[in-house]
Every structure is written in structure tokens, then in C-alpha cells.
Amino acid sequence: MKIDHSQPLEYSTEQNKMNILGFWIFLGAEIMLFATLFTSYFVYEDRIGSGPAGAEIFGITPVLFETFILLTSSFTIGLAIHAMRIQRTKAMLVFLGITLLLGAAFLGIEIYEFTHYYHVGATLQTSAFTAILLTTLGTHGAHVTFGLFWGLFIILQIRKRGLTPETANKSFIFSLYWHFLDVVWIFIFSFVYLKGMM
Amino acid sequence: MEFFDRFAVPHPSPLIYASMVAIGLTVMAIILGITYFKKWGYLWREWLTTVDHKRIGIMYIISALLMLFRGGADAVMMRLQTSVPDNAFLDAQHYNEVFTTHGVVMIFFMAMAFVIGLMNFVVPLQIGARDVAFPRLNAISFWLYFAGAMLFNISFVIGGSPDAGWTNYYPLASTDFSTSVGVNYYNWALQISGIGTLMTGINFIVTILKMRAPGMKLMKMPMFTWSALITNIIIVFAFPVLTIALLMGTFDRQFGTNFFTSVNGGMDMMWANLFWVWGHPEVYILILPAFGIYSEIISTFSRRNLYGYNSMVSSMAIISLLSFLVWVHHFFTMGHGALTNSIFSITTMAIAVPTGIKIFNWLLTMWKGKITFTVPMLYSVAFIPLFTIGGVTGVMLAMASADYQYHNTMFLVAHFHNVIIPGVVFAMLAGLTYWWPKMFGFMLNERIGKWAFWNLAIGFCLAFFPMYITGLDGQARRMYTYSEATGFGPLNMLSFLGAGIMAIGFVLIVYNVYYSFRHAPRNVGDDPWNARTLEWATHNPVPEYNFAITPQVDSSQAFWDSKKHGYQLFKDDLKDIHMPNNSGLPIIMAGLFFIFGFSFVFFIWAGVILSGIGILACMAYRSFEKDDGYHIPVKEVKETEEKFGGAKK
């Protein structure tokens, strides 16, 4: 395996470069996936049948907490990658750990939010609106859940193997994924919650 | 419902019972055969765990041919049923299932697999690469496709086939009207193989962008590689839409949501929109690689450089863009306004322009060329007029107001078969014949190949041209029978005869494989067609590492230059070659996906949870696995090269 030392570790081999490009293309596909969900959401937004409308069930407090927590986690994973670039493995692991804890907190609040919807009678079966709402939020939440496991595995691998071209590459790609989920959340915050509450 | 009742076929008939027996016997014969010849070890080591793009390509093509015969049997049954008025060979329900599975199998499991199989085999060779960018992912793609295909194919003996058409429109596909588990099969089989296709898309974009031989600029790539690049870009942007649509359909059918119902805010036409936002680009996912194959073949057998390289590339790019802007033309009659219909009518007709440019480029490539009519060339030459007829009727269908007359008639059926058979199927058969010596080291017999071609071409015209007429006369598609008074009888009989002739053509192709395997000479050389692109610059059949020395390129036809103008392709010396390791993980993971899909179809939650955990465990295993591949030492490379008649210089 040829290692090019003039490049950052995560870009240092041909395979690493291809992995990163491949993941960007995958994110392109993910954008289409969420774009389809958002489009469907806009179509179904007012088709509430006999169920509640968004304004009746959305609560600003949990949503704001979720937003701040997830945005902070995007900041901390940025710091983790920065620490990786300057070879501070320990700091990197700490920031990765904080990122995952914030992710878990986000998920906890989202689960609380879902039980709240259930109690006010907005379930998957209630109307087309509630179905697309829960599907869109759920798809994002499933991505975060998957990310928690993925990130945990990367932490374990860095602890065992140190910062190698492979682990650096995986960490960098994971950070792309995490930032992407944050971007999706910003869209959800703006076009689902804010639009729904206004 | 009782547990075991769920697995019973809802509309059994003697044909289905016969199929059950046939499936059971075939599976037993295969297992016994492999055991008797002690081939399990060979099969596992060399094929089931392979990550070699050439073998994966061949496995795709074998699966595609199997599916071609499955879908072809459906087709013949349909033509037989409608060959005479008031026929009682199939009842309405059975006919519904047959045309549904015919469409799904032919599009997803035959055409897609054939296209991806040829891409797998040819693209890395054409760009002078060792393999694709992510060989392991490539194996996962194939096995996911295969798991999806098998899941779909067991539907008709366990639980019942889907019966709502390959477009699966709601509310017909909802649990109210499709009560068996058939549509669940549709959702999960397509979901699983769709994930595989998406991964293929990513894999090939990276391969083509990052792994081209030194000197091969984008605008010096062979045309088939260009078509593969554009096709894969369409795949990456189109397939996620299908993923969501299928997910919503699954939720509707299995969790009682109201996406596509008519109550509580549901909207059934939403399915049609989402389906065709994916579905129309899908049409171009199939036809663009076919265009690429024709470009290679026509230029090779006209002994001329491809005419209008730049316009070929830009017209494919324009087609790929427009393909996302035309989906509404599939349901002009839905009831949206005149403005919407006009816009989509115009975008649809606009596609005829870049396609027309390509047709003229092929004709001008042949102009003043020294044409040799080999089997691949025959398919390509027949494609041009036949596809043009299909294109013209496509423009007729694109006129929104006139479409109210054609909509859902046999005219439409004639049109899309007219573009898919001479377009895609002919291209796949031409490509298979053309690259056959590269795959297996011997050529297919030309004489039998020509017989097969004429059967297919004539059979096609007989089978589908009458449908234009019956369609204009008002014969609806998907009707299992019609009365004698309609007068559709004779023309439908003609269609049936055409289908029979086509069937003979396909049987001849199989016979040709057998005959050539037995009798064809093995010393055909590395470049039997006197071709122009890089895949012919290596040995026949191709060694596992493709090129012992990475070729260097300075024009769009470097191999031709090396033959005619003494250009030196291989400038380096032999070195150790780095290769990826085989892995059993892809097939195991796909097996788990199969169980996951099957369990979900039948609401077996324990199976869903266990196999779901298994899938995640496979991914976790892959994450922790350390796999740096292995090196073939230079000595071994030298020996292999000498066995093939000396290293290429």
C-alpha cells in the first residue's frame, strides 16, 4: 500500500481517496432519498384527514433542545477531525465520544417526542400527514441510530490500532455522514417544525 | 389467518403445481449434481466468494439469461391466452399474475442484470484497470440482486404472485384489492435488489472517475464506458426515489398507514408519481448502455472511428438530464391541467432530438465503412430502423391530447416493446456475442447466431407490429380475453406466432452456446474481431489481474493505434500485483437479506429481528475486519503471462 505523506492521513492512499469520493456520491443518493421524503411531506402536509394538524401537536421545547444538541455534536465532530489532523489521538477520541453522547441525547428526546405524538393521538395510522411526518423523522432518527453504532466501532478501532490511514479515513467519512445528518435536521427544523408552527 | 394458510397459493392451478414439482426437482438435481461431481469446494472458492469483476459480471449474465427464460415463458403464456377470442387457458387472476411477473422479471431481473453484468465485465478492462474501485461492495451488489430475484421468483409457489401490474398502481396494489402477500413480495424483492443496484452505481462512478489508465482523459474514454458512467449517475439519483416509494407502499400494506389510500388524507396518485420519477430514468438506465454497446460494435465492424464522439457524449448527457423531467407522460389522463400536460409533452418530445443525433452518428459511422455483417453487427444494423419506429411511436404517445386515445391500449405495449427489444435486448445479445471470446476464450458459432438473429428480428416484427393496429382499434392492455365480435382475433394470432418464432430464436442461442462450447476452436487469438478498444489488448481469456502492465493511452483508440501505427501501450516492466481477497461475507449477508425479506412478507417478526441483527452483525464484522488483499509476486505474473504466449509489450 503506497502512502503519500504530503497528503492528510485520510487522503494518503489511492483507496482512501476513492472511499471518500464514493461516500460523497453516496451522500448524493441520500440527498435524493430525503428530497423524496420532503417532497412527499409537502404534498401530504395539509392532508390531515380526521387527525391533528402539525400546529396542534408540535412543541417548541423538545425541538429546540434536539436542534441545539445536534448542532453542537456537529461542532464537536469538527473538533475531533481537527484533533486527528494534528495527531492528537486522545483529544480526538474525547470529541468523538462527546459527539456520540450528544447523538444519544438527541435520540432520547426524539423518542420522547414520538411517545408524546402517540399520546395525543398522532400515530403512523392516523392520517397521511402523521404517516409522512413520522416516516421522515424516523428515517433521520434511524440514520442517527446507525451512526451511533458506526461511531462506536470507529472509536474502538482507533483505541486498538491507533491513527492509521484506514482509521483516519473511516473517521473522516463518518464525520461527513454526521454533518450530513445535521444538514438534514436543519431542513426538518425549518420546513417541518417552523413551517408547521407558523 | 392461520400461520400455514398464509403460505398457500391463493389461486392454484395445475400449471402452478407442475412448476412446484419442476422447481423441487431442479433444485434437487443441481444439489445432487454438484455433490456427485464434488464441485462444492470449487464453486465456493472460485465463484460464490469471488470479488473479481469479470466473474461477477458472468454471474450477472447467467442470472439474467435464466430470468430471460422465466419472463419469456410468461410472455408466451400471455400471447397464447390472447391468441384466440374467449380463450380459457388462463383465468383473469392468473393472467394478472403472469403479466405482472413478466414485467418485473424482465425489467429488474433480466435487463438490469444484463446491463450491469456487461458493465462489470467490460468497463474495468476498457479503462485498463485491475478491478472496480470497491470489489467487495461489487460482490455484495450482485448477491443482493440475486437474493431479490430469488425472493421474487418463489412468490408464485409460496403465498401467491403480485398481480397489480409491474407498475403496481394503488389502490389496486393496496390490501383492499390485492389480498394475497404478492405485493409484499414485490416491495421487498425490489427493495433488496435496489440497494444492490445503488451500490453498483456508486462503485462504477468512482471506478470510471478514478481508475482510468494513465493518459485516458474523460473525452478519450470508449463510448461504452461513457454510457456506463452516465447510466450510473442516473442510477444514483433515481433509485433512492424508488426506495422511499417502496417503503411507503410497505407501510401502507403492512402497517396500515394512509399514504396511497383514499381515506384520511391518502392519495393514490402519489405512488404513480413517485414510481415514474424513478421509472422514467430507469428506462434510460437500460437504453444508454445499449447505445454504448452499439457504438462499439458499429465502429468495430465498419472499420471506422465512431462518428461524432463529442455529440454522442453530450446527447447522452442531455438525455440523462431530460429523463428526470418527463415522468408525467405516463399518466397524462390523471386529470391535471392542460399546462402540466403541455410541459411534460414538450420535454418528452425533446428527448427525440439527442436520440436522433445518435441515430445519425451511427449511420454516418457506417457511411463509406468496410462493413462486415457478423452477428453483433446484424443486431446493431437491425436496431437502427426498428428502434426508430419505436421512437416515432413514442413521439406519438408524447402528444398529450392524442394520448387520451392510446392510453392503456396495446399501442403502448407495442411501443415500449419496440424500444426495449430492438433497443436493449438486441444490444445485450450483440454485446454478449461480441465479448464472448473475451469471457470464455472461444467464439460463438456465426451460422447458428445468424439463424437466431433472423428468428428474433422477424419474430419481433410479427409479434409487436400487429399490436399497434389492435391498440389503435381499442384493444386494452392487460385484458385477459376479448370477444370474437371485436375482430382482434387474427392479429392476436399473428402476435402469438411471432412470439413463438422469437422463442425459437432464444432456444437457438442456448443451442449455440452448447454447440460452440463443444466444437468451436480455442485458439482465436486475443483480438478476434480486429477491435479498437483496450479490453482486446490483454489475453484471451483474461487473467485475473487483467493487465500485467498498466497500459498507457494517448488517444481515444490507443489499441487501434498500437496495431496500425506502432504505438506502444505497455511501457513499464512487470511488477508485483496487488489483488483483493475473496470473501464469503457478501453471499452470507445476501442470504440474511433474503430471510429478512421473506419474513417481512409474511409478518414473521422473529425472522425479521433475527436476520436484521445478522445483517448488522455482518456490517460490524466488516468494520473490524483487517483485509489488505494480497500480492501476486512478479515471478508468478511472468509465468502466467508466458502460459498465455508471452507478456504484452
Side-chain angles (χ1 to χ4, degrees):
Chain A
M1 195 66 67
K2 266 199 299 249
I3 297 175
D4 178 358
H5 291 288
S6 68
Q7 297 274 343
L9 208 51
E10 68 270 19
Y11 280 101
S12 60
T13 66
E14 274 308 308
Q15 188 64 48
N16 277 6
K17 285 180 197 162
M18 292 197 290
N19 290 349
I20 291 171
L21 176 64
F23 199 78
W24 274 111
I25 298 169
F26 175 72
L27 289 184
E30 288 273 60
I31 288 173
M32 280 308 288
L33 189 98
F34 281 103
T36 311
L37 282 170
F38 278 114
T39 312
S40 308
Y41 181 82
F42 296 142
V43 170
Y44 287 129
E45 198 178 4
D46 300 323
R47 303 179 69 92
I48 56 174
S50 49
E56 296 166 39
I57 53 171
F58 293 154
I60 191 73
T61 321
V63 174
L64 272 182
F65 269 110
E66 284 167 305
T67 308
F68 286 130
I69 288 172
L70 208 60
L71 287 182
T72 312
S73 80
S74 213
F75 178 61
T76 55
I77 200 163
L79 292 176
I81 296 303
H82 181 68
M84 181 180 88
R85 284 268 172 90
I86 56 174
Q87 306 282 318
R88 300 275 294 274
T89 314
K90 210 169 159 198
M92 179 195 176
L93 287 178
V94 170
F95 282 125
L96 270 183
I98 294 174
T99 306
L100 296 187
L101 285 178
L102 290 171
F106 166 85
L107 209 62
I109 302 176
E110 185 155 60
I111 291 169
Y112 160 78
E113 196 193 330
F114 272 39
T115 52
H116 165 73
Y117 292 149
Y118 177 79
H119 287 304
V120 297
T123 67
L124 209 52
Q125 290 85 8
T126 310
S127 67
F129 161 69
T130 59
I132 193 67
L133 173 73
L134 296 174
T135 309
T136 309
L137 296 179
T139 308
H140 178 265
H143 276 75
V144 174
T145 315
F146 185 83
L148 290 182
F149 285 99
W150 186 8
L152 183 68
F153 293 164
I154 288 173
I155 289 179
L156 293 176
Q157 285 171 39
I158 295 175
R159 279 174 63 118
K160 209 166 132 203
R161 297 173 195 164
L163 270 183
T164 63
E166 284 87 33
T167 51
N169 189 239
K170 286 181 183 185
S171 312
F172 184 77
I173 287 174
F174 177 66
S175 80
L176 293 181
Y177 179 75
W178 201 263
H179 288 309
F180 170 75
L181 293 185
D182 220 28
V183 173
V184 172
W185 182 261
I186 290 171
F187 276 83
I188 291 180
F189 179 74
S190 318
F191 293 110
V192 175
Y193 292 115
L194 285 188
K195 188 162 173 268
M197 280 185 275
M198 281 202 294
Chain B
M1 232 190 291
E2 286 292 313
F3 184 77
F4 287 105
D5 288 348
R6 274 184 272 171
F7 301 98
V9 179
H11 308 280
S13 70
L15 275 173
I16 287 179
Y17 290 128
S19 311
M20 283 182 188
V21 175
I23 290 173
L25 289 177
T26 318
V27 169
M28 255 161 51
I30 290 172
I31 291 174
L32 284 176
I34 296 172
T35 314
Y36 181 77
F37 291 107
K38 297 198 173 62
K39 289 289 185 197
W40 281 112
Y42 164 79
L43 205 62
W44 177 258
R45 278 190 310 275
E46 300 290 324
W47 291 93
L48 303 185
T49 60
T50 190
V51 293
D52 181 340
H53 71 96
K54 300 181 286 296
R55 294 199 163 170
I56 291 174
I58 289 170
M59 289 196 290
Y60 263 117
I61 292 169
I62 293 172
S63 318
L65 287 172
L66 286 175
M67 291 299 118
L68 178 72
F69 279 89
R70 156 85 218 260
D74 286 341
V76 172
M77 280 159 73
M78 279 189 279
R79 289 295 105 225
L80 179 61
Q81 164 62 24
T82 50
S83 60
V84 287
D86 300 316
N87 198 354
F89 167 61
L90 299 173
D91 59 32
Q93 173 61 26
H94 201 169
Y95 190 79
N96 291 349
E97 293 176 10
V98 168
F99 72 66
T100 302
T101 51
H102 168 77
V104 175
V105 163
M106 286 302 204
I107 293 286
F108 288 92
F109 302 130
M110 189 283 283
M112 285 293 286
F114 223 137
V115 163
I116 293 175
L118 284 176
M119 270 184 341
N120 254 290
F121 188 86
V122 177
V123 167
L125 290 171
Q126 274 197 337
I127 61 173
R130 288 264 141 73
D131 206 314
V132 292
F134 314 113
R136 178 81 72 93
L137 190 65
N138 200 20
I140 292 179
S141 289
F142 169 73
W143 288 110
L144 285 182
Y145 149 74
F146 192 74
M150 289 304 112
L151 184 62
F152 189 84
N153 272 282
I154 60 165
S155 66
F156 81 112
V157 287
I158 306 175
S161 289
D163 55 1
W166 86 280
T167 51
N168 202 46
Y169 278 3
Y170 288 78
L172 181 58
S174 70
T175 41
D176 292 343
F177 301 103
S178 292
T179 47
S180 82
V181 294
V183 179
N184 298 354
Y185 269 115
Y186 175 99
N187 287 333
W188 283 105
L190 298 195
Q191 191 71 283
I192 291 169
S193 68
I195 297 169
T197 310
L198 176 63
M199 295 301 141
T200 300
I202 295 171
N203 210 338
F204 275 83
I205 295 176
V206 179
T207 306
I208 296 172
L209 290 183
K210 285 283 195 184
M211 296 176 76
R212 297 192 307 281
M216 187 184 277
K217 304 245 162 52
L218 277 178
M219 290 311 273
K220 287 179 180 165
M221 293 198 304
M223 197 49 63
F224 180 61
T225 301
W226 252 117
S227 71
L229 176 63
I230 292 175
T231 300
N232 284 300
I233 292 172
I234 306 181
I235 287 179
V236 167
F237 287 102
F239 266 77
V241 182
L242 180 71
T243 305
I244 293 299
L246 290 171
L247 185 77
M248 288 160 81
T250 301
F251 274 24
D252 259 17
R253 287 187 53 91
Q254 302 200 265
F255 300 130
T257 56
N258 290 299
F259 287 118
F260 309 132
T261 61
S262 353
V263 290
N264 286 325
M267 195 200 297
D268 46 11
M269 278 317 287
M270 190 62 188
W271 164 267
N273 275 283
L274 289 177
F275 182 85
W276 285 114
V277 168
W278 160 82
H280 203 87
E282 164 71 15
V283 174
Y284 293 95
I285 292 171
L286 298 179
I287 200 68
L288 287 182
F291 287 172
I293 293 170
Y294 290 131
S295 301
E296 301 288 345
I297 290 173
I298 289 176
S299 137
T300 297
F301 295 107
S302 305
R303 301 277 170 262
R304 288 200 65 201
N305 205 351
L306 187 66
Y307 185 89
Y309 183 99
N310 292 338
S311 63
M312 282 296 206
V313 174
S314 43
S315 53
M316 280 198 290
I318 294 168
I319 290 175
S320 71
L321 212 76
L322 285 174
S323 75
F324 283 92
L325 303 173
V326 299
W327 78 90
V328 171
H329 72 210
H330 293 275
F331 38 85
F332 279 139
T333 54
M334 176 173 127
H336 33 226
L339 180 66
T340 312
N341 275 1
S342 311
I343 290 170
F344 282 92
S345 191
I346 290 165
T347 52
T348 306
M349 286 189 237
I351 291 191
V353 177
T355 317
I357 291 173
K358 294 185 80 70
I359 299 270
F360 282 110
N361 281 341
W362 287 312
L363 291 175
L364 288 167
T365 306
M366 287 193 276
W367 178 256
K368 287 187 177 170
K370 289 195 204 80
I371 300 176
T372 36
F373 284 103
T374 57
V375 171
M377 189 61 175
L378 278 178
Y379 282 114
S380 312
V381 172
F383 147 78
I384 293 175
L386 291 178
F387 186 83
T388 306
I389 296 171
V392 169
T393 54
V395 175
M396 288 170 71
L397 283 156
M399 301 176 207
S401 41
D403 183 65
Y404 276 69
Q405 176 66 23
Y406 317 131
H407 187 77
N408 261 354
T409 64
M410 294 306 277
F411 187 86
L412 171 75
V413 177
H415 157 71
F416 70 71
H417 284 91
N418 201 165
V419 282
I420 288 181
I421 293 176
V424 185
V425 178
F426 279 18
M428 295 306 124
L429 297 174
L432 185 66
T433 319
Y434 181 63
W435 283 301
W436 187 274
K438 241 346 31 72
M439 293 178 190
F440 302 106
F442 61 92
M443 310 197 43
L444 289 174
N445 184 285
E446 281 280 300
R447 228 172 84 83
I448 307 175
K450 282 177 185 169
W451 272 99
F453 161 76
W454 285 111
N455 270 287
L456 288 178
I458 294 168
F460 163 77
C461 295
L462 272 182
F464 292 99
F465 288 160
M467 292 182 197
Y468 280 124
I469 303 167
T470 59
L472 287 178
D473 281 346
Q475 187 185 2
R477 71 192 287 208
R478 292 172 172 165
M479 294 298 289
Y480 84 109
T481 194
Y482 50 88
S483 71
E484 201 173 348
T486 57
F488 300 144
L491 285 171
N492 276 281
M493 180 50 98
L494 208 57
S495 276
F496 171 61
L497 290 179
I501 295 173
M502 288 186 82
I504 297 171
F506 285 117
V507 171
L508 278 175
I509 288 172
V510 176
Y511 174 68
N512 196 2
V513 171
Y514 168 78
Y515 179 89
S516 309
F517 177 72
R518 292 290 299 271
H519 302 292
R522 292 308 196 262
N523 51 345
V524 291
D526 298 337
D527 179 24
W529 304 113
N530 195 10
R532 311 171 87 84
T533 39
L534 272 186
E535 72 270 30
W536 305 98
T538 183
H539 299 293
N540 237 8
V542 190
E544 57 169 334
Y545 46 75
N546 292 355
F547 296 90
I549 301 165
T550 304
Q552 297 189 23
V553 176
D554 73 344
S555 76
S556 66
Q557 41 178 359
F559 179 56
W560 187 255
D561 292 344
S562 80
K563 286 193 292 189
K564 301 291 161 187
H565 312 298
Y567 173 76
Q568 204 186 349
L569 270 178
F570 303 101
K571 292 177 180 136
D572 290 343
D573 295 319
L574 289 177
K575 286 190 210 120
D576 287 0
I577 293 176
H578 179 252
M579 296 294 291
N581 281 322
N582 283 1
S583 168
L585 203 62
I587 187 172
I588 295 172
M589 213 166 134
L592 288 165
F593 262 103
F594 179 89
I595 300 171
F596 182 85
F598 184 83
S599 310
F600 223 118
V601 166
F602 288 99
F603 302 87
I604 307 169
W605 300 122
V608 170
I609 292 165
L610 286 177
S611 55
I613 291 172
I615 291 164
L616 293 174
C618 284
M619 294 168 90
Y621 178 84
R622 172 60 177 153
S623 174
F624 284 98
E625 186 184 13
K626 258 186 106 65
D627 176 16
D628 297 327
Y630 67 100
H631 282 86
I632 308 177
V634 66
K635 206 173 116 242
E636 206 182 310
V637 177
K638 211 176 233 164
E639 279 166 17
T640 318
E641 289 291 299
E642 261 150 34
K643 206 169 71 199
F644 281 111
K648 293 265 178 182
K649 263 296 175 189

